[in-house]
Amino acid sequence: MSRKKKSLKFGNNNLVGYILIAPWLIGFLIMYLIPMIISIYFSFTKYNLLSAPVFIGIDNFTRMFFHDPSFWKSLGVTFYYVFMLVPLRLIFAFIVAMLLNSKRKFLGLYRAVYYIPSIVGGSVAVSIVWKQIFGNDGVAMALLSVIGIHQKTSFIGNPSTAIWTIISLGVWQFGSAMLIFLAALKQVPKSIYESSGIDGAGYFTQIFKITIPMLTPVIFFNLILQVINAFKAFTESYIITQGGPMDSTLFYVLNLYRKSFTYFDMGYSSAMAWVLVLIIGLFTIVLFKSQSTWVHYESKE
Amino acid sequence: MKKPISILLAAILTGTLAMSGCSKGSGSTTEKVDENAPVKLSITWWGSQSRHDYTNKLLAMYTAKNPKITFQATPSGWDGYFDKISAQAAGDTMPDIMQMDYSFISTYSKNDTLADLTPYVSDKTIDLATADTNLVDTGKVDNKLTGIVLASTALAITYNPKVFAKAGLEVPTSAWTWADFEKDMIQIQKKNGTFGQSKIDNISTFPYWVRQYGKTMYSADGTKLGYDDDQVFIDYASMVKRLQDAKALPNPDQWAQISAKGKEAEPVVTGEAGATMDWANYGVIVSKSNPNLKLVTPPYSSTGTKALWNKPSMFFSVAKSSKNQKEAAKFINWFLNDPEANKVIMAERGIPISSKIRDGLKASLTPQQKDMFDYADVAIANSTKADPADPAGVAEVTKALTDTINSFLYNKTSAKESAADFRTKANDILGRNSK
Amino acid sequence: MGENKKLRSFTFHFCTILLGLVMIYPLLWLISSSFKTNSEIFVNSYSLIPKQWDIVKNYSSGWAGIGGVSFGTFMWNSVIVAVIGTVGGVLSSVLAAYAFARIKFFGSKFWFFCVMMTLMIPNQVMVVPQFIIFKKLGLINNLAALIIPWVFGSAFFIFLTVQFIRGLPIELDEAAEIDGCNKIEIFIKIIFPLVVPAVITSTIFSFYWIWQDFFQPLIFMSNPEHFTVSLALNLYLDPNSFNNYGGMLAMSVVSLIPVVIIFLIFQKQLVEGVATSGLKD
């Protein structure tokens, strides 16, 4: 390899690289970078959307950390939601994907049935359904009384259980993660299983020694995505519980949204948004760094 | 290294340009000189499907009569309505005509986003001669008339006579007191085994309660609460709790379930409660599900103070940045005063403000609507001057109210603690928002 | 041996169906409620069988739409936005993903970091600045304002595809390079066919997300002729008026149909015809 060829290759890579990311880059500049700069600016202002923003330095941040119990409350609720929902959802998705990754009758139907909740999950209609199901004369209460447990308050109205109705809505929508696992399972060559079977590996050994390691890139992907999305959860609590009862389902982004529009406090909510980005960023960096310890890439990059 | 820096610079430049768009609308208020040029008025309102349908019909009617005027209409649900208007304010694209709510008009007005319509009333473009002055004045903020009230409503107890009869009770009269009310509600619970009262909504009832003490919920300048004695709060919360503990009123959880089903499924409609506190159009809304509900004024306190008020149900406001203010004013006038228009509206937005229109409609009203109209007169007889428009920050204060009351209802704090907590929170919020 | 297999098969189907019923109950509730009269929906909410059938009224009143704009228009708008947004978005994302996963170019780590950052920002806080920008660009009230945020690719799909590509052995690329292919050819001939599952997954998700996004249409669109389905459904409900729940639920059911169709079409590709050849088979 002459040096000339190498440097040509290097220059060529840059050109190709930028051409390929050009569409994304354009979108990023218009839809993200500029709004981000504006939003960061807002976070240092008092801004009610109706009059020009007024610069107030770090006042929003001091209020957030020292004078706003709702900030800490919503942060706590959101953390709880993330740490409960994500593992449950991933485990469900993985198990069901494993089960459906075979040739059986009606498989397409089952797959559709498990995926469809993901499709409808964010709609107003489903939230109405959820309120019914977990409400005072809903199916959930009825089932409980069949077993002999009589509740005074419904799941939705009880500050201790309301968050779980929303978590259950999230788990119900495991179909999307399941789909991703399924797609990845398809990519695992059958030959590996066959050869390990010949070597005497049993079903569960195969799962733990072959399937899971091969799937770690996708598990990693699902994990990061689910964590990020769980931190940003909004619609469910907006429609089903409005953050109640007693703020037990006050998600961070719901709090943020309220402060932006309902309370005309856009500057403060922008500050809240960027604090959230930092928190999520921290988690993401930690997860990314952990890749080397448990994620197995075929391409060994 | 050149590329990233130049990108960053361009971004900052664009950002600065974009930011200059955040300042409030500086649209000219000079009218179009050419009176005959075609005009497109942008108009927005909130409501349900039926309101969207008849309002669009109205717009078509107006265009038929005034071919030069066309409309760009944006109907909306209540959810997100003001989010959008705020975003439009930020982007300097507020609609010409906006349906406006009493709890928001102060905020929009004080930030100079609404046009002062006084000139159009003075020159009779908008004819308010047949409207009640007190009512019209509710649209004045800082002496500027930034909202023209479209219709009025009043707080009312809507009750189910069958439920009262079943409990062996006489129907309530306008003179009844809170003591009577509690007694009746508890009796309904005892005799019928159901709720006495469907709901007591803090947002509308607590201000009413405060007025019974001769005070207003908010101070005149909107920087703090208008009442000084926490006993006001304690009495209210205790009353609610007594009813709740007696199972005559749903607790917050049960109420959350009930409200999720919509007004048509409220217990008072289905016969599982005796009454509900709501605006006077409640009976009209649920008339398809139960046409037999009746109206009565809310209970009096022992002070005997008349605490009702004629509430503006909604306004039309005009954007300060609108280039078509005169045409907008003309349309508002037509909306309020034209008999044909009001035959389409049929008091769906509330009781029309023009006495002439009210009289004109009487013949075509349904029984429930007639009740509502009659009730308006009764309510006015029991009313005093309305509170001024809600100050900025009211949404946050309302949440604080509900939270502190619920904290007491859930037995987490005492009534005294909740009262003091509410005062601290409310004053902090109001103070912060009034700067 | 045969009996064991039958038993396992039976158990499998039994459990799957049971869980499936639980999963699908909310949807059955939705559909059955769209057949009920307005007064029955909440009063008799348990029963999946309506006492009084009101299908025609619900569906036709719902279809009539809002203020003269039929529900069909809303559906059509959603279709345009979702299809263009999906096609453009998935394409842009896959291209970018290939670059990030396989090409060493200057600044790639930095730009990938930016990709991840866009994932973390809550939408609610970007909407107002985006609105201001669109207004300056004159794009308000144009469906373009709803399409642009998606059509340039989005972090989710880029990240997904990157992970898929990284799961492919680099030897494939190297073999092709030795054969004289340049980067673009490697992409078209080797990599793209192998990440079809990721592309299809992205397509399904993208369509669904664009379809049911409510907040952006709310802020950006003023003309009901441009409203999307998700926004329109919200307009049916107002706490202080009489609400046509039956109509709204009926249209909710209708609005789910395209998404389900897209899924049913593509899930076959996901299952069959996915090339696992080319790997160590």
Side-chain angles (χ1 to χ4, degrees):
Chain A
M1 257 349 108
S2 72
R3 248 176 64 222
K4 194 172 172 210
K5 201 167 182 188
K6 234 186 180 170
S7 61
L8 248 182
K9 214 174 165 198
F10 184 74
N12 199 19
N13 267 354
N14 276 343
L15 187 62
V16 171
Y18 275 96
I19 291 179
L20 287 174
I21 69 169
W24 172 80
L25 202 53
I26 298 175
F28 174 70
L29 291 176
I30 309 176
M31 296 299 305
Y32 283 98
L33 188 59
I34 300 178
M36 269 163 55
I37 296 179
I38 298 178
S39 171
I40 294 180
Y41 170 68
F42 285 166
S43 68
F44 293 101
T45 66
K46 185 174 149 112
Y47 183 42
N48 63 12
L49 292 171
L50 308 181
S51 292
V54 173
F55 185 75
I56 55 169
I58 59 166
D59 278 5
N60 285 328
F61 294 96
T62 39
R63 170 151 64 110
M64 199 189 323
F65 295 126
F66 301 114
H67 298 295
D68 187 5
S70 79
F71 166 74
W72 296 106
K73 176 80 187 176
S74 59
L75 205 58
V77 168
T78 309
F79 265 82
Y80 186 77
Y81 178 72
V82 171
F83 284 109
M84 292 296 123
L85 175 67
V86 175
L88 276 176
R89 196 145 129 182
L90 284 182
I91 293 175
F92 250 93
F94 185 77
I95 294 179
V96 177
M98 287 293 301
L99 288 175
L100 295 188
N101 183 35
S102 49
K103 284 220 176 314
R104 286 190 199 262
K105 281 204 276 187
F106 305 127
L107 216 50
L109 178 64
Y110 293 143
R111 211 176 351 242
V113 164
Y114 287 131
Y115 180 64
I116 285 184
S118 303
I119 305 183
V120 306
S123 61
V124 178
V126 164
S127 310
I128 296 182
V129 175
W130 227 252
K131 280 198 224 189
Q132 287 305 105
I133 294 182
F134 286 98
N136 264 316
D137 27 60
V139 174
M141 294 283 271
L143 284 177
L144 276 190
S145 48
V146 161
I147 320 180
I149 308 179
H150 293 273
Q151 292 266 60
K152 234 184 16 158
T153 41
S154 73
F155 290 103
I156 292 195
N158 188 338
S160 336
T161 59
I163 184 82
W164 280 96
T165 61
I166 302 201
I167 293 178
S168 68
L169 181 56
V171 176
W172 184 63
Q173 296 173 62
F174 70 79
S176 44
M178 173 197 82
L179 215 63
I180 297 179
F181 278 137
L182 261 178
L185 283 171
K186 290 285 165 211
Q187 272 194 313
V188 179
K190 288 207 172 36
S191 52
I192 296 192
Y193 289 113
E194 283 159 14
S195 51
S196 77
I198 293 175
D199 284 347
Y203 184 64
F204 282 104
T205 319
Q206 280 183 329
I207 294 187
F208 283 99
K209 286 246 155 52
I210 301 179
T211 317
I212 293 189
M214 288 292 279
L215 245 50
T216 44
V218 161
I219 295 180
F220 174 72
F221 168 78
N222 267 335
L223 183 64
I224 294 232
L225 259 304
Q226 303 266 354
V227 165
I228 294 181
N229 279 327
F231 269 113
K232 296 194 308 184
F234 168 75
T235 315
E236 298 87 341
S237 69
Y238 176 62
I239 298 184
I240 301 184
T241 54
Q242 293 92 44
M246 302 284 290
D247 284 349
S248 59
T249 59
L250 183 66
F251 286 168
Y252 192 88
V253 176
L254 177 61
N255 197 11
L256 192 162
Y257 163 82
R258 241 188 225 155
K259 294 198 165 22
S260 305
F261 291 102
T262 318
Y263 299 167
F264 291 96
D265 212 350
M266 189 78 188
Y268 183 71
S269 69
S270 303
M272 282 185 74
W274 289 101
V275 168
L276 182 69
V277 171
L278 283 173
I279 294 178
I280 299 180
L282 235 79
F283 267 83
T284 311
I285 293 178
V286 166
L287 282 170
F288 259 92
K289 289 254 181 280
S290 77
Q291 268 186 104
S292 50
T293 58
W294 62 280
V295 182
H296 163 84
Y297 288 110
E298 274 299 293
S299 50
K300 299 187 196 65
E301 276 184 62
Chain B
M1 278 318 272
K2 269 200 211 157
K3 241 190 194 164
I5 289 186
S6 56
I7 294 176
L8 196 60
L9 280 175
I12 294 179
L13 202 62
T14 326
T16 325
L17 285 173
M19 278 187 266
S20 66
C22 314
S23 53
K24 59 184 191 272
S26 49
S28 74
T29 47
T30 54
E31 297 299 324
K32 268 191 174 323
V33 177
D34 180 5
E35 289 268 323
N36 287 318
V39 167
K40 198 169 184 88
L41 288 176
S42 49
I43 177 172
T44 184
W45 67 87
W46 72 82
S48 67
Q49 197 183 7
S50 54
R51 182 180 295 170
H52 302 326
D53 288 340
Y54 83 71
T55 309
N56 268 296
K57 231 194 261 167
L58 279 180
L59 300 180
M61 269 171 73
Y62 190 80
T63 305
K65 292 201 175 153
N66 303 276
K68 296 273 188 311
I69 314 286
T70 52
F71 291 94
Q72 162 71 74
T74 309
S76 171
W78 172 258
D79 273 340
Y81 177 76
F82 284 102
D83 300 351
K84 180 164 181 145
I85 293 194
S86 296
Q88 288 175 313
D92 204 14
T93 55
M94 281 178 101
D96 293 309
I97 304 176
M98 298 164 281
Q99 192 170 294
M100 178 57 63
D101 184 81
Y102 202 34
S103 56
F104 287 95
I105 190 172
S106 178
T107 308
Y108 280 95
S109 195
K110 289 192 181 204
N111 280 285
D112 212 20
T113 56
L114 301 179
D116 184 2
L117 299 170
T118 321
Y120 301 104
V121 177
S122 310
D123 71 6
K124 295 275 187 245
T125 309
I126 303 180
D127 178 8
L128 298 175
T130 52
D132 171 49
T133 326
N134 273 332
L135 192 59
V136 170
D137 282 349
T138 55
K140 273 205 184 129
V141 181
D142 293 338
N143 269 319
K144 287 194 267 181
L145 188 66
T146 47
I148 305 287
V149 57
L150 299 181
S152 67
T153 183
L155 206 59
I157 296 268
T158 306
Y159 65 92
N160 186 329
K162 288 207 180 104
V163 173
F164 271 75
K166 189 164 165 216
L169 289 167
E170 305 248 320
V171 292
T173 68
S174 279
W176 67 329
T177 63
W178 286 105
D180 297 330
F181 172 77
E182 270 193 67
K183 209 162 78 8
D184 284 359
M185 294 302 116
I186 292 182
Q187 176 139 343
I188 293 179
Q189 201 286 322
K190 287 212 166 84
K191 279 274 170 70
N192 301 1
T194 63
F195 294 124
Q197 173 84 340
S198 272
K199 72 173 180 290
I200 293 183
D201 176 34
N202 298 326
I203 304 179
S204 49
T205 315
F206 190 64
Y208 171 75
W209 185 271
V210 173
R211 283 167 63 89
Q212 294 182 314
Y213 293 79
K215 305 272 187 217
T216 57
M217 174 96 176
Y218 301 104
S219 65
D221 60 3
T223 57
K224 55 187 204 298
L225 290 178
Y227 67 95
D228 294 317
D229 190 354
D230 277 349
Q231 195 60 36
V232 175
F233 181 105
I234 294 174
D235 288 344
Y236 174 76
S238 309
M239 187 249 323
V240 173
K241 192 160 202 298
R242 279 196 299 274
L243 285 173
Q244 198 191 285
D245 289 343
K247 297 207 190 337
L249 178 73
N251 61 38
D253 162 45
Q254 291 165 319
W255 172 245
Q257 298 310 304
I258 295 172
S259 67
K261 303 180 189 179
K263 292 191 192 242
E264 297 82 7
E266 253 194 65
V268 69
V269 177
T270 60
E272 277 149 30
T276 188
M277 178 93 83
D278 205 317
W279 301 109
N281 64 345
Y282 182 83
V284 173
I285 294 177
V286 303
S287 53
K288 288 206 181 72
S289 306
N290 187 334
N292 299 317
L293 303 180
K294 298 269 175 260
L295 291 161
V296 74
T297 53
Y300 270 92
S301 79
S302 49
T303 62
T305 318
K306 289 185 184 175
L308 274 184
W309 69 99
N310 206 4
K311 176 181 175 335
S313 65
M314 57 190 77
F315 304 85
F316 269 151
S317 290
V318 175
K320 180 135 187 223
S321 55
S322 165
K323 296 192 167 49
N324 301 304
Q325 289 182 20
K326 185 143 179 108
E327 289 304 332
K330 280 194 196 158
F331 172 75
I332 297 176
N333 179 56
W334 178 81
F335 189 96
L336 289 174
N337 293 314
D338 184 87
E340 292 303 314
N342 277 281
K343 284 224 166 66
V344 173
I345 301 174
M346 279 313 283
E348 190 268 342
R349 283 170 152 95
I351 312 245
I353 67 172
S354 157
S355 56
K356 235 171 81 183
I357 295 288
R358 287 201 295 273
D359 292 335
L361 283 178
K362 285 221 165 104
S364 14
L365 296 175
T366 67
Q368 292 80 27
Q369 286 173 321
K370 188 165 180 311
D371 277 354
M372 187 176 75
F373 272 62
D374 288 340
Y375 178 75
D377 295 325
V378 174
I380 292 182
N382 286 286
S383 293
T384 50
K385 189 162 182 315
D387 287 3
D390 289 339
V394 61
E396 226 180 320
V397 172
T398 306
K399 178 154 193 310
L401 180 65
T402 309
D403 284 349
T404 46
I405 292 184
N406 280 352
S407 171
F408 170 58
L409 293 178
Y410 279 106
N411 288 317
K412 295 221 158 79
T413 50
S414 73
K416 209 157 161 213
E417 286 164 355
S418 280
D421 194 21
F422 174 60
R423 179 175 299 279
T424 320
K425 287 199 168 101
N427 288 343
D428 172 58
I429 296 167
L430 292 170
R432 194 180 354 115
N433 275 284
S434 64
K435 284 203 214 107
Chain C
M1 227 13 194
E3 240 177 57
N4 224 359
K5 204 170 179 200
K6 264 203 188 152
L7 187 64
R8 263 203 283 170
S9 179
F10 176 75
T11 330
F12 171 80
H13 284 283
F14 181 73
C15 293
T16 320
I17 293 181
L18 198 63
L19 185 61
L21 282 176
V22 172
M23 295 290 284
I24 213 129
Y25 174 77
L27 293 163
L28 293 178
W29 187 93
L30 176 64
I31 297 179
S32 85
S33 293
S34 73
F35 296 158
K36 296 181 182 170
T37 60
N38 270 323
S39 19
E40 200 196 328
I41 294 179
F42 295 113
V43 177
N44 190 24
S45 71
Y46 258 26
S47 155
L48 287 181
I49 317 245
K51 282 206 194 114
Q52 268 182 295
W53 295 79
D54 223 0
I55 304 187
V56 176
K57 176 150 160 271
N58 284 341
Y59 279 84
S60 62
S61 70
W63 189 260
I66 307 281
V69 181
S70 93
F71 202 77
T73 312
F74 300 139
M75 295 277 281
W76 180 241
N77 288 333
S78 284
V79 166
I80 295 182
V81 174
V83 167
I84 301 181
T86 298
V87 169
V90 173
L91 208 62
S92 306
S93 302
V94 168
L95 291 176
Y98 176 62
F100 284 122
R102 286 301 212 234
I103 303 187
K104 287 186 178 29
F105 63 97
F106 179 74
S108 65
K109 273 213 164 61
F110 170 71
W111 292 119
F112 190 71
F113 170 76
C114 289
V115 169
M116 293 308 291
M117 205 174 40
T118 63
L119 261 182
M120 301 182 216
I121 305 176
N123 207 13
Q124 289 76 6
V125 86
M126 300 290 274
V127 152
V128 171
Q130 285 172 348
F131 179 77
I132 295 175
I133 293 177
F134 276 146
K135 201 236 154 191
K136 295 248 176 251
L137 294 175
L139 288 173
I140 298 299
N141 247 338
N142 204 321
L143 283 182
L146 297 181
I147 298 178
I148 289 179
W150 300 100
V151 83
F152 290 109
S154 73
F156 178 85
F157 307 133
I158 295 180
F159 189 27
L160 173 68
T161 315
V162 162
Q163 291 306 95
F164 266 78
I165 296 179
R166 291 178 91 180
L168 302 173
I170 194 82
E171 289 83 15
L172 287 174
D173 294 52
E174 290 168 356
E177 249 182 274
I178 291 174
D179 281 351
C181 292
N182 65 28
K183 292 284 186 191
I184 303 285
E185 285 171 333
I186 298 179
F187 174 67
I188 299 179
K189 292 191 188 148
I190 315 275
I191 301 289
F192 185 81
L194 290 177
V195 293
V196 166
V199 171
I200 291 185
T201 312
S202 302
T203 306
I204 297 178
F205 283 148
S206 169
F207 191 85
Y208 160 57
W209 283 346
I210 302 180
W211 187 265
Q212 58 110 49
D213 180 32
F214 148 77
F215 206 61
Q216 260 164 340
L218 171 75
I219 303 288
F220 293 155
M221 298 291 109
S222 290
N223 186 348
E225 301 270 342
H226 294 145
F227 284 177
T228 57
V229 158
S230 54
L231 179 59
L233 285 176
N234 239 276
L235 305 190
Y236 279 82
L237 299 181
D238 174 44
N240 280 313
S241 321
F242 169 73
N243 285 305
N244 183 8
Y245 281 103
M248 189 215 94
L249 292 174
M251 290 305 103
S252 299
V253 172
V254 170
S255 74
L256 295 176
I257 296 177
V259 193
V260 173
I261 292 180
I262 293 279
F263 171 71
L264 291 176
I265 295 177
F266 283 100
Q267 75 142 345
K268 276 183 124 203
Q269 322 291 82
L270 255 177
V271 175
E272 306 144 14
V274 166
T276 52
S277 60
L279 295 181
K280 290 165 190 166
D281 244 2

